[in-house]
Amino acid sequence: MFFQFWLGLLLVAVGVSATSSKDPRWQQDPPHKRDPTPTTAPAAPTIDKSQFVSTQDGSFHVNNSEFKFIGTNAYWLSALNSDEDIDHVLGNISQFNITVVRTWAFNDVSTIPENGTWFQLVANGTTSVNLNETTGLPKLDRMVAMAEKHGIYLLFSLTNNWNPIASDPIANSTNAIFRRDVLTNNSLPRNTLSNDYGGMDAYVRAFGADTHDAFYTNETIIQAFENYTTQIVQRYVNSTSVLAWEIANDPRCNSSVAANASCNTNTITNWHNRIANLVKSKDPNHLVSSGTQGFQCMDCLKLFDKPLAPPPPGPSAAPNARRSKVVPLTKKALLQERKEAWKLSRALKLRSEPRSAQGVQVRGKWTSTLTRRQDDVGVGSAFDGSSGVDSDDILSIPNISFGSFQLFPDQNQYAPDDPSLSAFNNTLQAGLQWIQKHGESSQRTGKPVALTGFGLVTQDSAPFFVPFNSTVAPFAADQIGNFTTNSSITPFGVTQEQQNDAYTQWLQQGILSGLAGMIQYQWGQGNLTAMNGTAISPVITENGIQPVQDQNGVSPNDGYSSVGVGQVPTEGTLQAAAQQFGPDA
C-alpha cells in the first residue's frame, strides 16, 4: 500500500521508528495506553488532570510531558459495520506509531435509514438522538473504549460545513449535473463521502432557513446544535482517550447552501466563541479547537486578536530552539515575502536556461520576463477574508485551546502561481509557505497549532476524487471533467513520486515551523465487513448480482485514500528514504 510507504517516510522524517527516536517527544507510548475502562462509568471522586491532554507554552502536554503527534483521518470510523472492524482498524493504525485519529462525532439524517449508523434525526424543525445500541451513540462509546485499548487519541469533529444534495441552490447552474442527492437512488451508499454525514446544511434545511450562514446566526438552529454538542461532550467528559473537541470541519461562510452576502469573519468568529464557551462549560477536561482550513485576514476587524507586544528581554535561545522572533502578519510583509521568493526562483531559472529563452531582445537589450513584470495580484483568497474565516482571530478566543488548519491544494489556492515554477513546484512551495505561516500564528498567540488534514490526489486516484462540496467524481470514467479544460490531454493529479516528495517536505517544514501535530488525510483500510446500503457495501458484479456479505469491503475513498492504488515501492526505495531522513541523517 502506498499509504504504508509514505507513512514510513513520514515517521523517519520526524525521526520516529519502532525502536528509536532522536526526539522522544515524537515517539512515546500514549500515557492513556492501558486496559480499557468503560467510558460511561461515573466520574471518580478526584480526577488526575495530568492524564488529559493540555496546552502549555505553545505545545501539547500530557502526564507532565510534552506530546507531539502524527495522526491520520478516518471520518468513516463509526460507520463501519461491526465493532470488530473498528477494533481492527484502530489496531492497524497503532502499529504505525500513529497516536491520533481525527473522525466524525456526528451522523445526521433527515429520514431514518434501513441500515447503517446514524446519531441524530434532523427533520421538520426537530431533532432527536439515536440511542440504539447497534446503530446509535452507544456505538461511539465502544469506539472510544477501543481507542483507549490501542493507545490512540480521538480528535472528534462535531459537525461539517459541507453537505451537498441536489435540491441546494447552486450559483452556477451549469454545475447542476455534477450534484445529486447522495441519500437516495444512486450508486453511492450513505456515509461513503465525508460530506454525507449531515452537518450544518442538514440543520439549515430542516429548520427552513434560506442561507448557509443561518447556522451561525439563527438562534433556533444554534440551540439545536448546542443541544447535540452538549450530549456528546458530556458523554465523554471523563475519557482520557479524547484528545479534543473540534467544533466543525472547515467552517466558513460559503457552503452547499448559498450564503448571505452579509456573512463575514466576525460572523464566524462570534459563533466560534459561543460554541467554545459552551463546550468548555460542559467539559472542562478536554481541549477545544476550531477545525477551519486556516484562512487568514490581515485587514478584517478583529474581535479577539490584539496587537503584538514587544517580547521581554531574555537570554539568547539555544541553537536548535524554535525561533522566538514574533512578527505580525501584514499585507505588506506577505507581498514582500512573495516578491523575494519569486525573485529567487526567477534567478534560479535564468541560470538554468539558455539566454535565448530568458526574454525578448529589443534594440540590443533583453526585456523583462513575465515574472519580473508580474502585476500585484493581491494577497489571494486564503488571506483576504473572503471565506469568512480569520483563523488568527479565532485562535485568540480564550476558550479555543489550539489552532488547526488544513492543506488541500487540489481544492484551494494558497498563493498566486509563480510563473518561473512548474505546476508541481508551485503546489509544493505554496504548501511549505502555508505551513510556515501557521507556525508563525502559534508563535504570535502562544498556542499550539496542528495541521489536521493534508492531501494531494495522485493521477491514479483521480477517478475516485470527489471535491468536498460535490457528490460526483469529475474524473471518473462516466463523468465529464469539470476541473480542467482538457482532462483527456492533461491528467489531473500528481504522480506517486511527487506525492511522496510533497508529503515528506511538508512534514519536515511542520517540524521546523514548530507545529504541535500533523494529521494526514486519509487512512485506507481493506478486509472490512460489507453490508448493503452502508458505507462499506458489497461490490456489485458485472451481471448485477450482489455477492454474499463478507469481509471484502474497502474503506471509503474520496480520492485521498491510498488503498489499492498504484504499486508497492521496492524495499530498496524504502531503505533509501530511511537513510536520507532517518534520525542519524
Side-chain angles (χ1 to χ4, degrees), residues 325-381:
K325 183 179 179 181
V326 181
V327 296
L329 178 65
T330 65
K331 180 177 180 180
K332 180 179 179 180
L334 179 63
L335 294 177
Q336 182 62 31
E337 285 180 13
R338 288 179 180 170
K339 181 180 178 180
E340 295 299 323
W342 286 23
K343 286 174 61 178
L344 177 61
S345 63
R346 176 178 179 274
L348 293 174
K349 184 176 183 180
L350 290 177
R351 286 199 293 268
S352 65
E353 288 184 342
R355 194 178 182 207
S356 59
Q358 295 176 9
V360 179
Q361 191 174 24
V362 179
R363 295 181 182 178
K365 296 182 179 180
W366 292 95
T367 63
S368 300
T369 60
L370 176 62
T371 304
R372 179 166 290 180
R373 300 195 313 263
Q374 185 75 19
D375 294 331
D376 182 2
V377 294
V379 296
S381 59

Side-chain angles (χ1 to χ4, degrees), residues 204-526:
V204 168
R205 299 184 198 100
F207 286 88
D210 296 327
T211 61
H212 174 70
D213 52 294
F215 186 81
Y216 308 117
T217 59
N218 183 293
E219 187 62 27
T220 302
I221 295 178
I222 293 174
Q223 289 182 11
F225 175 64
E226 287 179 332
N227 178 61
Y228 179 76
T229 296
T230 297
Q231 294 187 63
I232 293 295
V233 301
Q234 286 184 332
R235 196 175 186 94
Y236 306 110
V237 66
N238 293 323
S239 173
T240 57
S241 61
V242 173
L243 170 74
W245 300 111
E246 182 179 274
I247 293 177
N249 173 59
D250 198 9
R252 57 172 83 180
C253 281
N254 57 300
S255 183
S256 309
V257 175
N260 193 312
S262 63
C263 186
N264 57 41
T265 57
N266 290 167
T267 307
I268 307 300
T269 300
N270 273 319
W271 177 80
H272 273 90
N273 182 52
R274 173 169 174 169
I275 302 302
N277 291 340
L278 171 76
V279 173
K280 271 299 188 182
S281 71
K282 304 299 181 181
D283 178 6
N285 294 332
H286 292 108
L287 305 176
V288 181
S289 70
S290 167
T292 71
Q293 281 270 356
F295 301 128
Q296 298 175 328
C297 185
M298 290 151 288
D299 297 330
C300 295
L301 175 65
K302 308 293 184 180
L303 300 180
F304 297 92
D305 190 16
K306 304 303 179 185
L308 292 170
S316 300
N320 295 326
R322 288 175 55 186
R323 290 185 306 156
S324 59
K325 183 179 179 181
V326 181
V327 296
L329 178 65
T330 65
K331 180 177 180 180
K332 180 179 179 180
L334 179 63
L335 294 177
Q336 182 62 31
E337 285 180 13
R338 288 179 180 170
K339 181 180 178 180
E340 295 299 323
W342 286 23
K343 286 174 61 178
L344 177 61
S345 63
R346 176 178 179 274
L348 293 174
K349 184 176 183 180
L350 290 177
R351 286 199 293 268
S352 65
E353 288 184 342
R355 194 178 182 207
S356 59
Q358 295 176 9
V360 179
Q361 191 174 24
V362 179
R363 295 181 182 178
K365 296 182 179 180
W366 292 95
T367 63
S368 300
T369 60
L370 176 62
T371 304
R372 179 166 290 180
R373 300 195 313 263
Q374 185 75 19
D375 294 331
D376 182 2
V377 294
V379 296
S381 59
F383 292 92
D384 64 6
S386 58
S387 65
V389 173
D390 185 348
S391 60
D392 272 8
D393 203 17
I394 292 173
L395 182 53
S396 298
I397 295 172
N399 277 327
I400 292 291
S401 312
F402 65 95
S404 58
F405 70 107
Q406 302 173 17
L407 175 56
F408 293 102
D410 301 304
Q411 307 193 51
N412 295 292
Q413 185 170 18
Y414 302 99
D417 286 343
D418 182 343
S420 297
L421 298 178
S422 66
F424 171 69
N425 283 331
N426 267 304
T427 295
L428 177 62
Q429 291 302 316
L432 293 172
Q433 293 164 9
W434 188 238
I435 292 169
Q436 182 181 358
K437 287 300 170 195
H438 285 280
E440 293 170 359
S441 293
S442 176
Q443 295 178 53
R444 283 194 298 270
T445 61
K447 293 182 179 181
V449 171
L451 175 56
T452 57
F454 66 92
L456 273 177
V457 177
T458 65
Q459 294 170 8
D460 290 331
S461 297
F464 307 99
F465 171 54
V466 179
F468 295 143
N469 198 24
S470 177
T471 60
V472 170
F475 304 108
D478 59 346
Q479 298 295 334
I480 301 176
N482 65 335
F483 267 54
T484 63
T485 55
N486 198 340
S487 59
S488 62
I489 297 176
T490 305
F492 180 83
V494 299
T495 66
Q496 187 64 60
E497 292 73 19
Q498 288 173 329
Q499 186 196 65
N500 291 337
D501 185 19
Y503 283 8
T504 301
Q505 292 199 46
W506 289 345
L507 289 160
Q508 290 177 322
Q509 183 62 56
I511 296 171
L512 292 173
S513 297
L515 297 187
M518 292 172 278
I519 305 179
Q520 170 263 358
Y521 188 90
Q522 58 187 206
W523 181 267
Q525 182 71 56

